[in-house]
Amino acid sequence: MGTEIQDRLDRIEHELAVLQRDVHQIRLTLGREAPAPPAPARPTPAPVRAVAERPPVPVQPAPTPQRREPPVVAPQAARPQAVLPKVDLADLVGARGLALAGGVVTLLGVVFFFVLAANNGWIGPVARVLLGGGASALVFAAGIAIHARYGRFEAAVAAAGAGIAGGYTTLLAAAALYDLVSAPLALVLAAGIALAGVALSLRWDSEVVAALGLLGAMAVPAVVLVDGRLTVLGTSFVGLVFAGAAVVSLRRSWTGLLVAAAAISVPQILLLVAAEDDPVRGRVLVLALAFVALSLAAGAGRQLRASTPQLDPLGGTLAAGAALAGLFSAFNLYDGDARGLVLSGLGVVYLALAAGAWRRERLYELGVLAAAFGTAFAATATAQFLDRPSLVVAWAAEGVTVAWLGRRIAETRFQLISLAYLALALLYTLAEEAPPDTLYTAGADFLAGVPALAAVGVGLAGFGFLAAAWPPTRRGAALPRWLAALVSALERHRPHVRVATLALGAVVLADAASLALLDAGERLSLESAFDWGHVAVTALWCLLGLGALATGARLGSRELELGGVAGLVAALVSFELFTAPELGDPQIGWSAVVLALAYPAGALLGLRRIWVTISGSALGAIFAGIAAWKLLEGDPRGYVLVLVAAGYLAVSAALFARRDPASCFWAAGLALGFTASLILLDGTWLVLAWSVAAAALALAGKVVVEPRLWLGSLAFATLGGAYTLAALAEPEQLVRAGAAPADGVDAIVLVVVALVALALSLRPFEPCDAVDRAVAAHLEPLGRGLRWAIGGLGLYAASLAILGLAQWLSDASVTTAFQRGHTGVSACWGVVALAALVIGLRRRRQALRVAAVGLFALALGKLFLYDLGTLSSVTRAASFLAVGGVLLLAGFLYQRLADN
């Protein structure tokens, strides 16, 4: 208020000076007054006093310039005069500038006097103190007197401020330089001076007094250095003055004063902390904590006086700066448990502030900030007191506690703090306590990391459960952009974060249990304990996966089902990357047994998801084969696979009402049966097994109207035919003389029977899915193809049978008997072609007629390409006669039947 009045007086004084110049110019223009030097361009400090002593005189004529009459030149003459104040140095400086300069110079004079006197030894310490104190008191008294006599002049304000700062300087010199005043008494006197400065600043409502007196006093210890360093006592003075400056700033909302006070005082305390030594360590710590408390109190005061609930930038900066200063002091002054105690104290202070601010809307945002720093202090202090697993346990417990508190007070930012705690615990555990490769390192200390892993896993699970029912967030002040974005993302994705923490907790707990199993194996002193321990680990992971799958299926939880699948996949990956390459055959086999049991069980538990059933049944069959191969030899492998295949088929029968899962299991069972047949059978017996399977599948498909079974039948029949032609009845047996050309006929007959059974089983049906529609669309072509295959294989079997019969009936050599047999083969082909032609003509079947023509062409080709060059003259002639006679008869019958 006083500053505003002074500014108004200065403006009035300036307007009067301009008015006097205008009047003088008018008089010169009208010739009423001889030329004379104009009044001073700008008022000097002397008119200020005149205004103060005789205020009515200059104020009354103020309206006169607005009544000017005719002079037209007056505005033209006044225009250049109005520019003059802008370049007048006295106007730029003014009373306030001169007064401030005088105060600063006076204060520096006192400071430099002490420095100069101390360096040159001009006068004794007592005299120096007395002179400095006297000068400070004289300047202070002069300011008080001027203010009392003439009102609020800038000179009075500056003199009072300089006197206050000079008093601090003198007191500091008396106590720190010359030991004339004890430290306790010096602090008491400094507090008195601070109170005087605060009282005077508030009473005069003068920021100048505060700036010169309080800020100047705080800057003195940085100038008057003792032995090149700061002292505890001098910095204590700074603390007292900072308290006074904070009070004045908060009462009068002088932000600049508080910022300057913090900028001057904080570096001094930090430098003192950095330069501490053992004799004064305790006092430095007390002083540092006092600074922390003062800064925190100033920040809280700023927040209380804020106009909105938003976090006051300066208040938040003071609170954060205090926390960082306390952290720096704790780490620089102490270590070990002592450092932990200091940090614990800081944590208690900040958490107490957070608790106190909870129910005050204006302090809520500052309380959240204090809670963040308080929890950080708690985590750091815990790290000083504890190490190894105990530290992880403490961090995990703190994380869960903060999460619980955040849910209680509906504050999402506490959830972020909790996640930070848990992430810190997890990272420390994986880096120091239980690195991921510990599980796969033989001879490692497996039990060492179990407590830490268990603590982190429980903490993550606890966070997940707490995040399940988070209340609506309390809306307070606006947040910084980055923090608001982070909070918004967490609120938006909280369900996903919950699932992720639960899943990660389950993984960590599974790792802990796995390490415990490996340690138990080592303690039992088993042979190959590490290898057998990994078999147990595989079983554990499978059990956990199956448990999650079962729970998810019962509760209808997609997340649990996916977690169970992830557990089974983890067991598979571990088997592929570690078990199979590193362990011995028994351990590999038993691990495969575990997986062979787990995956079909998972397929049954995941019936709602066909991809789980498909992959589970297929992987179960694969691992059953691996287990049989690693653990058994010879026929027992096949018998075991037959039993497993029977089990799969039984499960398929039980699931008959659920078509897709049933198909997965019978397909896996057929694959296992096929593998077992390769181990147990060979030759015609193998073809017999496959043909029986093909016929059984064909008939079953017809009975239950399941076209997928026809596909299985076709696969087995095709395998049987391919194996027969490749190993038992090779095509070269038809053209190369041999003693037993008919050995593969029985296998061909078995394949033909299977194909006949399949062909007879095919019938139209109502398709239900894409597979059914594909089969239905190709049903007719499939039947036609089967008939052609049956005819071709039957003719081939008949040809080999004729060759074999010729060998059996003839007493001639193998070659002669073989050539005679080929005459019969040629005749057989002609007769079959003739029969096909007759039937095709009678029943008007074009396919048969085409087949007949094709077979005739094949017979002719055989005559000219094979018989003519290979057979003897007699057999060659017989072949030509036989085929020729059949062709003639065919021509006759074709014409006869075609005409009819």
Side-chain angles (χ1 to χ4, degrees), residues 666-765:
W666 64 250
L670 292 179
L672 287 171
F674 171 77
T675 306
S677 67
L678 292 176
I679 297 173
L680 296 173
L681 304 171
D682 59 0
T684 305
W685 290 105
L686 181 59
V687 177
L688 174 62
W690 290 352
S691 299
V692 170
L697 289 171
L699 295 176
K702 179 179 181 181
V703 172
V704 300
V705 192
E706 176 53 85
R708 297 179 183 180
L709 291 175
W710 295 338
L711 297 177
S713 174
L714 179 62
F716 270 102
T718 303
L719 288 172
Y723 176 73
T724 299
L725 295 177
L728 301 180
E730 300 175 12
E732 66 177 7
Q733 293 180 212
L734 190 62
V735 296
R736 188 178 63 185
D743 283 351
V745 172
D746 50 356
I748 297 176
V749 172
L750 291 173
V751 173
V752 169
V753 171
L755 292 175
V756 169
L758 178 58
L760 295 176
S761 299
L762 297 178
R763 64 174 183 178
F765 63 93

Side-chain angles (χ1 to χ4, degrees), residues 184-545:
L185 179 59
L187 291 176
V188 172
L189 294 176
I193 296 174
L195 289 175
V198 170
L200 189 62
S201 300
L202 295 177
R203 181 172 180 81
W204 287 6
D205 194 19
S206 174
E207 194 172 2
V208 175
V209 173
L212 281 176
L214 301 178
L215 298 181
M218 281 191 286
V220 168
V223 179
V224 185
L225 300 178
V226 180
D227 296 330
R229 62 183 178 85
L230 294 169
T231 63
V232 176
L233 183 61
T235 313
S236 301
F237 285 3
V238 174
L240 290 173
V241 181
F242 176 76
V247 172
V248 174
S249 172
L250 294 176
R251 287 293 300 274
R252 291 294 184 263
S253 299
W254 292 337
T255 302
L257 177 65
L258 186 56
V259 171
I264 294 173
S265 60
V266 171
Q268 295 188 55
I269 184 59
L270 294 180
L271 289 173
L272 182 65
V273 169
E276 62 82 26
D277 51 17
D278 289 337
V280 295
R281 177 179 297 175
R283 286 181 287 171
V284 172
L285 176 64
V286 172
L287 183 58
L289 294 180
F291 264 90
V292 171
L294 288 173
S295 298
L296 191 58
R302 285 283 305 185
Q303 190 64 42
L304 280 173
R305 296 181 66 85
S307 58
T308 65
Q310 298 180 3
L311 181 65
D312 181 73
L314 181 56
T317 302
L318 288 172
L324 297 177
L327 188 66
F328 173 78
S329 302
F331 273 86
N332 196 75
L333 295 174
Y334 291 98
D335 54 14
D337 291 347
R339 179 187 295 168
L341 288 173
V342 175
L343 293 172
S344 298
L346 290 171
V348 169
V349 171
Y350 272 81
L351 292 176
L353 174 61
W358 158 239
R359 295 191 179 279
R360 303 194 65 174
E361 188 66 25
R362 195 60 61 88
L363 288 177
Y364 179 75
E365 292 298 319
L366 185 65
V368 173
L369 181 65
F373 280 110
T375 53
F377 281 130
T380 312
T382 305
Q384 304 302 315
F385 289 123
L386 305 174
D387 58 358
R388 312 292 298 182
S390 301
L391 175 60
V392 177
V393 172
W395 281 348
E398 289 170 351
V400 175
T401 303
V402 172
W404 172 83
L405 180 61
R407 191 171 81 164
R408 289 284 296 173
I409 65 175
E411 178 53 66
T412 302
R413 285 170 285 184
F414 278 34
Q415 203 171 19
L416 293 174
I417 297 173
S418 175
L419 286 174
Y421 262 118
L422 295 173
L424 184 64
L426 178 61
L427 293 176
Y428 179 83
T429 300
L430 296 179
E432 298 292 335
E433 297 299 311
D437 60 349
T438 305
L439 188 63
Y440 302 102
T441 304
D445 187 2
F446 302 113
L447 194 60
V450 171
L453 287 171
V456 175
V458 172
L460 289 169
F463 179 91
F465 285 116
L466 289 172
W470 201 271
T473 301
R474 173 177 176 176
R475 299 296 177 186
L479 301 177
R481 182 177 300 177
W482 64 271
L483 183 57
L486 191 59
V487 171
S488 176
L490 181 58
E491 292 176 344
R492 189 168 58 254
H493 300 290
R494 183 176 285 119
H496 303 91
V497 173
R498 171 179 171 266
V499 172
T501 53
L502 287 173
L504 186 58
V507 171
V508 172
L509 290 174
D511 189 18
S514 302
L515 292 176
L517 280 177
L518 293 179
D519 182 77
E522 296 286 347
R523 293 179 184 277
L524 293 175
S525 301
L526 298 175
E527 185 178 355
S528 301
F530 179 71
D531 294 355
W532 288 112
H534 264 281
V535 176
V537 168
T538 302
L540 172 66
W541 291 5
C542 290
L543 287 174
L544 292 176

Side-chain angles (χ1 to χ4, degrees), residues 763-858:
R763 64 174 183 178
F765 63 93
E766 185 67 28
C768 299
D769 56 15
V771 176
D772 288 356
R773 287 190 290 273
V775 173
H778 297 85
L779 198 60
E780 181 60 30
L782 178 60
R784 188 165 52 249
L786 288 174
R787 291 190 291 272
W788 280 97
I790 291 169
L793 288 175
L795 183 61
Y796 181 57
S799 302
L800 293 179
I802 292 171
L803 293 175
L805 182 63
Q807 291 285 353
W808 182 61
L809 295 175
S810 177
D811 293 333
S813 64
V814 172
T815 303
T816 302
F818 183 76
Q819 292 177 352
R820 293 173 180 173
H822 259 283
T823 300
V825 170
S826 297
C828 176
W829 289 9
V831 171
V832 171
L834 179 61
L837 180 61
V838 171
I839 296 173
L841 290 172
R842 283 185 174 276
R843 297 192 177 183
R844 302 188 183 279
R845 297 287 183 89
Q846 185 179 2
L848 286 175
R849 295 198 300 269
V850 171
V853 173
L855 189 53
F856 277 129
L858 185 62

